[in-house]
C-alpha cells in the first residue's frame, strides 16, 4: 500500500486531500492537533490504513519526534510511493510591522516554515536505504510571490516555502535521487482561514474588502476542487521537481 502523510488533515484543504487519497486506496497518516473521525470511518470503508499522529507543529521538538516516528514507519512499509503534503498553516498575525504580536509571529514562522523544514529533513533522512519513492508537496500561496499589506509574516514564510522547495529539489537532483519536491499554490478557497482574513480590520489588512467580495460573489473555490487538481497532478502526471504549481493552471 502506498501512503500519504498530510499535515493539518483535520479540516479544510488538508481534509479534502486526505479524503481523496483514501478514495484512491492510499493509506493516510494525519499529523494534526486533533483527529478527524470521518476520515477514519472512510478509511475503514475503503479498506485502507488511517493513522492519526497528534502534533503541535509550533513546537520544534514535537515536530521532529513525530516525523521521525512517521518516517520510520512509512519507509519500513515497502510502499512504492510515499506522498508528503505539508498543508498545515496559519495566516495570523495580520497587522503591519510595528504592531505585530511577537508571540504570534513566532508561532507563524514555526508552523508555516520551520516545521516543514524539520519534516523535510527528517523524511529525507528516513528515506536512506529505502526503495520507496517520496513525493513532497509544500502548500504555498500567491502571498509568497508578492507583498501584501498586513501580511509580512505570512508572505515571508510562504516565500521561504518556495525557496525551500527549490533548494531541496536542487540537492536531490545533485544526488541523483528519485525523490521529488514541489510547491503548490491553491488560490483562494472557502476555508476557516478565509473567515479569519475577512474578519480583519481595514487598518490591519488593506485588502480585506477584496477578500470579503470573493465570498459575497462566490469566487472562493471549494477545497474538494483544489484537492482534486492536486491529486490529479500527483497521481496522473509527470511532475517537475522544484516547480511551483498554480491551481489556476491545472483547472
Amino acid at each position: 500500500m502506498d501512503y500519504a502523510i498530510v499535515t493539518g488533515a483535520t479540516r479544510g484543504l488538508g481534509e479534502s486531500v486526505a479524503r481523496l487519497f483514501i478514495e484512491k486506496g492510499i493509506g493516510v497518516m494525519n499529523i494534526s492537533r486533533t483527529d478527524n473521525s470521518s476520515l477514519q470511518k472512510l478509511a475503514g470503508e475503503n479498506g485502507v490504513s488511517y493513522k492519526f499522529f497528534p502534533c503541535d507543529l509550533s513546537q520544534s521538538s514535537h515536530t521532529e519526534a513525530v516525523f521521525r516516528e512517521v518516517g520510520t514507519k512509512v519507509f519500513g512499509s515497502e510502499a512504492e510511493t510515499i506522498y508528503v503534503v505539508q498543508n498545515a498553516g496559519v495566516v495570523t498575525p495580520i497587522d503591519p510591522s510595528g504592531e505585530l504580536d511577537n508571540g504570534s509571529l513566532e508561532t507563524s514562522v514555526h508552523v508555516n516554515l520551520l516545521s516543514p523544514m524539520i519534516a523535510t529533513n527528517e523524511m529525507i533522512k528516513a528515506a536512506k536505504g529505502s526503495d520507496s519513492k517520496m513525493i513532497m508537496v509544500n502548500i504555498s500561496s500567491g502571498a509568497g510571490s508578492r507583498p501584501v499589506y498586513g501580511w509580512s509574516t505570512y508572505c515571508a514564510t510562504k516565500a521561504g516555502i518556495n525557496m525551500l522547495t527549490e533548494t531541496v529539489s536542487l540537492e536531490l537532483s545533485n544526488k541523483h535521487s528519485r525523490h521529488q519536491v514541489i510547491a503548490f499554490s491553491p488560490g483562494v478557497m472557502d476555508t476557516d482561514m478565509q473567515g479569519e482574513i475577512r474578519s480583519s480590520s481595514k487598518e490591519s489588512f488593506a485588502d480585506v474588502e477584496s477578500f470579503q467580495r470573493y465570498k459575497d460573489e462566490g469566487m472562493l473555490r471549494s477545497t474538494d476542487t483544489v484537492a482534486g487538481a492536486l491529486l490529479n497532478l500527483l497521481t496522473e502526471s509527470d511532475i517537475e521537481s522544484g516547480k511551483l504549481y498554480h491551481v489556476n493552471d491545472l483547472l
Side-chain angles (χ1 to χ4, degrees):
M1 180 186 295
D2 290 342
Y3 284 96
I5 300 160
V6 184
T7 65
T10 301
R11 58 182 183 173
L13 178 62
E15 179 181 16
S16 292
V17 167
R19 185 170 66 251
L20 292 181
F21 271 126
I22 290 171
E23 290 174 354
K24 284 183 173 290
I26 296 170
V28 165
M29 294 185 175
N30 174 11
I31 299 178
S32 305
R33 285 178 298 176
T34 56
D35 200 359
N36 185 312
S37 58
S38 65
L39 290 177
Q40 190 171 33
K41 179 181 178 183
L42 181 65
E45 293 170 349
N46 283 266
V48 300
S49 172
Y50 172 83
K51 294 182 180 179
F52 168 61
F53 294 83
C55 183
D56 181 354
L57 294 169
S58 70
Q59 302 297 318
S60 301
S61 59
H62 202 188
T63 301
E64 178 182 344
V66 169
F67 271 93
R68 187 164 294 175
E69 179 184 0
V70 168
T72 299
K73 288 181 182 297
V74 293
F75 286 107
S77 68
E78 299 183 353
E80 181 177 340
T81 306
I82 294 165
Y83 303 92
V84 183
V85 181
Q86 306 224 57
N87 160 78
V90 294
V91 71
T92 52
I94 301 174
D95 263 317
S97 296
E99 300 175 23
L100 293 166
D101 173 74
N102 289 329
S104 298
L105 190 158
E106 183 180 11
T107 296
S108 176
V109 172
H110 275 266
V111 174
N112 291 350
L113 182 56
L114 185 57
S115 70
M117 294 175 76
I118 291 171
T120 299
N121 189 50
E122 289 300 324
M123 294 302 294
I124 293 176
K125 190 187 303 182
K128 292 177 181 178
S130 169
D131 292 329
S132 301
K133 177 180 179 178
M134 178 169 57
I135 300 176
M136 295 176 282
V137 183
N138 295 321
I139 301 300
S140 183
S141 167
S145 303
R146 65 182 180 91
V148 180
Y149 183 96
W151 275 10
S152 62
T153 312
Y154 189 65
C155 289
T157 55
K158 289 303 182 180
I161 280 292
N162 294 344
M163 187 52 67
L164 172 69
T165 302
E166 292 184 42
T167 306
V168 171
S169 178
L170 173 65
E171 293 166 349
L172 292 171
S173 176
N174 283 1
K175 293 179 179 179
H176 305 290
S177 173
R178 63 191 171 281
H179 307 310
Q180 296 175 296
V181 55
I182 64 169
F184 176 72
S185 182
V188 289
M189 300 174 289
D190 197 4
T191 62
D192 292 344
M193 182 182 287
Q194 284 290 319
E196 286 184 82
I197 294 169
R198 292 193 300 272
S199 66
S200 303
S201 68
K202 180 77 171 178
E203 292 73 26
S204 295
F205 180 49
D207 293 343
V208 64
E209 291 177 356
S210 296
F211 279 78
Q212 290 168 345
R213 189 175 69 253
Y214 295 156
K215 178 67 172 179
D216 295 340
E217 298 181 3
M219 298 169 67
L220 300 176
R221 289 194 180 100
S222 73
T223 56
D224 285 349
T225 297
V226 176
L230 177 58
L231 265 288
N232 285 339
L233 173 68
L234 295 177
T235 61
E236 307 294 336
S237 306
D238 291 326
I239 63 171
E240 179 184 340
S241 188
K243 182 175 178 177
L244 168 59
Y245 287 88
H246 298 270
V247 69
N248 291 348
D249 297 330
L250 302 174
L251 293 172

